Amino acid sequence: MATKSIPDNITVTVLLFGKARELAGVAQVEVTVPSSLSYPTLKSLIFKSIGGLDSIFSSCMLAHNQTYLSHDDEQIHLSSTSELAIIPPLSGG
């Protein structure tokens, strides 16, 4: 019987911008997540870990090491040096 590999949990830095920063009251946090996971799982875990961001969950994007992630990303591989960012929609004029 083959055993399924379970990803290790790692701690990553999450930067918060705009409305996300305002709602959370912090500019960055450390969050512990699996080292390999899908975009929807990653986003859910980050938002649950930080709290207070429910009102902007559906309108925010995530970036990994300054590259936007896509809802289609099936496996995102993170390391302890990974930097994630919550990017709320931009507005203004």
Side-chain angles (χ1 to χ4, degrees), residues 58-71:
S58 62
S59 60
C60 288
M61 295 184 67
L62 295 181
H64 175 228
N65 295 335
Q66 301 180 357
T67 301
Y68 284 108
L69 295 172
S70 167
H71 295 280

Side-chain angles (χ1 to χ4, degrees), residues 67-89:
T67 301
Y68 284 108
L69 295 172
S70 167
H71 295 280
D72 298 330
D73 290 334
E74 293 182 16
Q75 281 303 317
I76 299 164
H77 302 284
L78 304 172
S79 71
S80 59
T81 60
S82 290
E83 181 181 80
L84 298 169
I86 298 175
I87 313 292

Side-chain angles (χ1 to χ4, degrees), residues 19-20 22-25 47-57:
K19 189 70 172 176
E22 180 184 316
L23 290 170
F47 274 69
K48 285 178 186 174
S49 295
I50 297 171
L53 304 178
D54 292 342
S55 64
I56 61 170
F57 179 84

